[in-house]
Amino acid sequence: MVMATSIKLDDELKSRVKELADQRRRSAHWIMREAVEQYVTHAEAREDFLREGDESWAHYKQTGLHLTLDEVCEWLDTWGTDGEKEPPECHD
């Protein structure tokens, strides 16, 4: 379902949107819709990232399981090599 909405832009931003739309041979509506979609997608990804971090922190506080930076770096250094290692086991 598509529904109309409105957005109030100051003259400067409206002019910038129009100029960009002209350069890209798109409508101002397309530019604004694309901008909103990209912003929302980015904001959702950030919220997922923060939620995952909170969940990981809660899991660590419950279990104490972790890897050190050195352990992770040592493992990552093998990526793409003939000696690529399996991920290390978490420990407390």
Side-chain angles (χ1 to χ4, degrees):
M1 177 179 196
V2 176
M3 65 182 188
T5 191
S6 65
I7 182 170
K8 295 181 182 183
L9 305 176
D10 62 45
D11 289 341
E12 180 187 349
L13 183 54
K14 188 174 181 180
S15 176
R16 290 170 58 200
V17 169
K18 170 104 174 68
E19 186 176 327
L20 184 59
D22 290 346
Q23 290 170 355
R24 300 237 173 132
R25 296 183 181 168
R26 297 285 187 173
S27 66
H29 172 267
W30 188 92
I31 296 291
M32 290 183 284
R33 186 183 174 287
E34 185 72 12
V36 169
E37 184 174 349
Q38 286 183 21
Y39 176 86
V40 169
T41 298
H42 174 78
E44 288 170 338
R46 179 162 172 71
E47 289 302 316
D48 288 346
F49 175 78
L50 294 172
R51 181 190 41 74
E52 186 177 321
D54 289 343
E55 290 171 358
S56 294
W57 178 245
H59 183 264
Y60 167 74
K61 289 193 308 187
Q62 277 185 336
T63 66
L65 295 177
H66 69 282
L67 293 172
T68 66
L69 177 61
D70 289 339
E71 291 166 333
V72 172
C73 288
E74 182 180 320
W75 168 56
L76 291 176
D77 284 343
T78 69
W79 279 20
T81 69
D82 291 336
E84 188 170 317
K85 295 180 180 177
E86 292 294 318
E89 293 289 324
C90 290
H91 54 83
D92 51 4

